[in-house]
Amino acid sequence: MTTVGRLADRAVELGIDVVAGPGKDELRDQPLSYYGHDPAGALLDMMEAWGAGVRVHPEVDSLLSGYRDLFDRFTAASGGTVTIGDVELLDHAGGERIRMLVNGDELVWHLEHRSDRYLDTLMVSEIAGRLRPRDDTDPRVFVEVVDDGDGSGFVFADPAALSILLGELGIERA
């Protein structure tokens, strides 16, 4: 049986930075199912709680504040090795766009909103795949993980290391 503590230790062995992982409290001895019965969902929830992941919650009160909050969480999960700021929504003749600075460089991307209450999760997935540390020797990227409930999130890790962890947990990559 995989425990929360064993998973945290294994993530650290693989070089996944779980800064706020479980301490020496009773949580370490809890089974993985403490975070849910779906291993992918449990992993996402743990990685977000431990500072190495970002869960995407598409329903928001405001699109702009929703995107700003989400990309702030990406920056935090990367430990600041990926910076995202100055997020703006633009309305052009060709459609909606999102503009932001990623590691100081401008990124503009097309958006497709079906509602003013839901983030464009396809755009988030496309952009997340392009978010990399400015240091070219750092292999970490945001790897998408999809849970059984069609929710998704991203873990900031070396893809090879995360693939090992996912395989050990029986989770398929998105």
Side-chain angles (χ1 to χ4, degrees):
M1 170 179 66
T2 300
T3 65
V4 171
R6 280 192 204 145
L7 181 61
D9 294 343
R10 183 64 175 138
V12 170
E13 285 173 15
L14 292 169
I16 300 171
D17 193 9
V18 290
V19 176
K24 299 203 183 288
D25 59 9
E26 70 283 351
L27 190 61
R28 286 191 60 79
D29 296 328
Q30 292 294 326
L32 183 63
S33 61
Y34 175 85
Y35 280 94
H37 294 288
D38 166 33
L43 177 69
L44 284 171
D45 290 343
M46 283 186 282
M47 290 296 157
E48 183 172 50
W50 299 345
V54 176
R55 262 280 194 191
V56 177
H57 305 285
E59 188 173 356
V60 295
D61 292 330
S62 155
L63 289 173
L64 182 58
S65 65
Y67 285 120
R68 285 179 175 165
D69 173 65
L70 179 63
F71 288 116
D72 283 349
R73 291 187 291 126
F74 273 100
T75 295
S78 76
T81 62
V82 175
T83 59
I84 306 164
D86 296 337
V87 177
E88 296 179 290
L89 296 179
L90 309 170
D91 199 12
H92 286 276
E96 290 179 284
R97 304 270 190 266
I98 189 167
R99 181 202 159 280
M100 64 186 80
L101 295 179
V102 177
N103 295 332
D105 298 324
E106 183 179 59
L107 175 67
V108 179
W109 209 270
H110 177 74
L111 292 169
E112 291 186 20
H113 291 120
R114 297 175 190 214
S115 162
D116 63 355
R117 303 240 342 167
Y118 290 90
L119 300 178
D120 180 345
T121 55
L122 178 59
M123 176 278 304
V124 170
S125 180
E126 290 169 345
I127 286 179
R130 304 184 82 169
L131 300 175
R132 302 186 185 298
R134 188 169 286 287
D135 177 1
D136 291 342
T137 64
D138 189 339
R140 297 175 298 167
V141 295
F142 286 96
V143 179
E144 187 169 16
V145 177
V146 177
D147 66 23
D148 282 349
D150 290 329
S152 69
F154 300 87
V155 177
F156 189 64
D158 178 331
L162 186 59
S163 287
I164 292 168
L165 187 63
L166 293 175
E168 291 173 357
L169 293 171
I171 300 170
E172 291 185 36
R173 280 191 59 179

